[in-house]
Each structure stands twice: as structure tokens, then as C-alpha cells.
Amino acid sequence: MTIHSISARRANRSAEARVADQDWSELASELNNHGCAVMEKLLSPEECAEIAVLYPHEEHFRSHVHMARHGFGKGEYRYFRYPLPDLIGALRTALYPRLAEVANDWNERLGLAQRYPADHAAFLKQCHDNGQMRPTPLLLQYGPGDFNCLHQDLYGDLAFPLQVAILLSEPGEDFTGGEFVLTEQRPRMQSRAEVVPLTQGDAVVFAVHNRPVQGTKGHYRVNLRHGVSRLRSGMRHTVGIIFHDAK
């Protein structure tokens, strides 16, 4: 058995345990009511530092994006290549089945036929069969004045409706500003904004594209976008876990 396989097994056990420790009834309620929910201290400070320090090492990544070049904002990010770092891959696998239950409930409420398999490997096979084969987990880096415009992370026809972002830096110490922002566009109404306070190691789960809301005549769909407000000072790193792969 190789050192890598031992590390991967430990990461899998660790990820499964910390995901199982979450109050999933409360998280599902928050997602249903607000389109986002926070898992506090999903990563330790040491784990946050271990992930953030990967950023300058190109061998871990398949591509490097400068946001300003594409009108996405200011700042930059890198998409990981396969195989993913052990802990990130393990969390992606462990989180998916819990979130698939929420995703399937949302589709049922909206009258959509699509159902997501309980196993992440089975869902990735659907992505790959659809020509979506590039990994989407990413590491983002912001400096003073950087920001991320409101957007949706859709990378093909097949998209999982929930994703996770984990803050790797400590607000007030490593950086100021740079709040996670979610907006919800409601039919025939003004948009609603949600600012989600996070500390180092916290993870926010949020809707990628839309979610169901109960109305007087049944459930209707609201559209969501997410972004990051302007960084005032310091350096901010975040890891994003997206469950579908990209074309």
C-alpha cells in the first residue's frame, strides 16, 4: 500500500466523520428557507493553511484564470486537476449524498423529472457521458481591491444545484472586506441580498442556479447568483467544491 493510498483513506474517514457530525436537518431547513447554510469549522486552521499554500504550485492545477481579463471581477483562481488533493476529493464525495437528498427534494417540488444518484461517482459518470470531464473544484485568491462579480457556476448542460465554498483565511487578521454575497431574484419583485458571515474553516452551502419557494399557488423558482465583495486589505483564499464536472 502506498503512502498516497493511506493518506486518501484517512482523508475519506475524516471527511465522512465531519460531514456526519453536521446537523443535516437544520442545514436542509436553512437551504430551503434562505438558499444557503453554514457548516462551522469544517476545516481546521492547519488544514486551511495546507490547502491555501498549494496556490502557487502549478502541478496541482489544470488552468489559471485572471478574473479581470474576462470581466468576472478582480482576483484570480485555479481549477484543480485530477486527482484532487485527498481532503478536497474526500469532502466532495462525502458531502454529495447529503446534498443530493436536498437537490432531489427541490426537483420534486418544482415538478422536474431529474433525480440525482445517491453516489457521487455515479453522478460524475453521468457528467462524463455528457462530455463534461474536467474537474471543477477550485482555489481562489483575492488581494486588496479584488472582488468577484455575481455569477453562477454552470459548466455544461448537467449541473448539480448545490455547491460549497470554504473560507481558508481569517477575517480581521488575514484580510478585511471580502464578504460572501448571495442574491435572489424573485419573479415580479426586487432582488434580495444575503451577506453570509464566515470565519476561517467555515463552509457555506448554497444554490448554484435556482431553488423552489412556496407561493400561494404552489412552489415557484427563484434565481440566485453569488459573489464576493471588495477586499479592503490583506489576502483571502477560498476553496470551492462544485459537484459537476465541466465541458
Side-chain angles (χ1 to χ4, degrees):
M1 185 181 297
T2 67
I3 292 175
H4 176 75
S5 66
I6 295 172
S7 174
R9 289 188 180 186
R10 286 175 178 168
N12 287 335
R13 287 196 296 268
S14 174
E16 290 168 0
R18 69 183 81 189
V19 167
D21 283 344
Q22 299 294 319
D23 185 343
W24 284 98
S25 176
E26 177 63 22
L27 289 170
S29 177
E30 287 288 301
L31 286 166
N32 287 328
N33 291 327
H34 306 293
C36 63
V38 174
M39 293 182 282
E40 296 181 351
K41 303 303 180 188
L42 188 65
L43 297 181
S44 70
E46 293 76 19
E47 289 168 332
C48 290
E50 288 172 4
I51 296 171
V53 79
L54 297 176
Y55 193 84
H57 300 286
E58 294 186 3
E59 65 270 21
H60 298 289
F61 305 97
R62 66 172 177 84
S63 65
H64 185 185
V65 177
H66 293 272
M67 296 185 203
R69 294 178 185 173
H70 306 278
F72 296 163
K74 286 184 64 182
E76 56 185 77
Y77 54 88
R78 294 177 184 263
Y79 287 105
F80 286 102
R81 67 171 68 248
Y82 281 133
L84 301 175
D86 289 338
L87 184 54
I88 294 173
L91 283 172
R92 195 186 193 207
T93 299
L95 286 164
Y96 172 85
R98 305 283 186 162
L99 297 179
E101 293 180 13
V102 177
N104 286 330
D105 177 58
W106 284 6
N107 278 7
E108 183 175 351
R109 294 187 197 190
L110 292 171
L112 301 176
Q114 184 177 14
R115 296 295 182 268
Y116 300 94
D119 179 71
H120 190 232
F123 177 65
L124 286 182
K125 184 178 185 304
Q126 292 181 0
C127 290
H128 297 171
D129 289 345
N130 195 52
Q132 298 176 211
M133 307 193 63
R134 295 187 297 164
T136 48
L138 69 165
L139 187 55
L140 302 99
Q141 178 174 277
Y142 301 86
D146 290 350
F147 62 95
N148 198 345
C149 294
L150 295 169
H151 66 283
Q152 299 170 328
D153 291 313
L154 303 172
Y155 297 101
D157 295 332
L158 188 59
F160 190 71
L162 292 154
Q163 69 188 73
V164 176
I166 309 172
L167 183 61
L168 304 178
S169 308
E170 184 62 55
E173 294 184 12
D174 298 323
F175 70 95
T176 61
E179 294 87 359
F180 179 86
V181 180
L182 192 70
T183 64
E184 187 173 270
Q185 185 179 2
R186 301 169 292 173
R188 299 177 298 280
M189 301 174 70
Q190 293 183 331
S191 296
R192 181 182 71 89
E194 181 96 5
V195 177
V196 183
L198 300 170
T199 62
Q200 186 180 41
D202 289 351
V204 57
V205 188
F206 56 98
V208 173
H209 184 204
N210 49 53
R211 72 178 184 93
V213 172
Q214 179 68 54
T216 57
K217 298 180 180 180
H219 287 91
Y220 63 93
R221 188 179 311 185
V222 296
N223 199 44
L224 295 102
R225 296 180 184 274
H226 65 278
V228 173
S229 69
R230 178 169 57 92
L231 209 73
R232 308 279 178 167
S233 64
M235 188 74 72
R236 180 189 191 273
H237 287 95
T238 309
V239 64
I241 299 178
I242 298 166
F243 296 93
H244 47 273
D245 277 353
K247 280 188 178 289

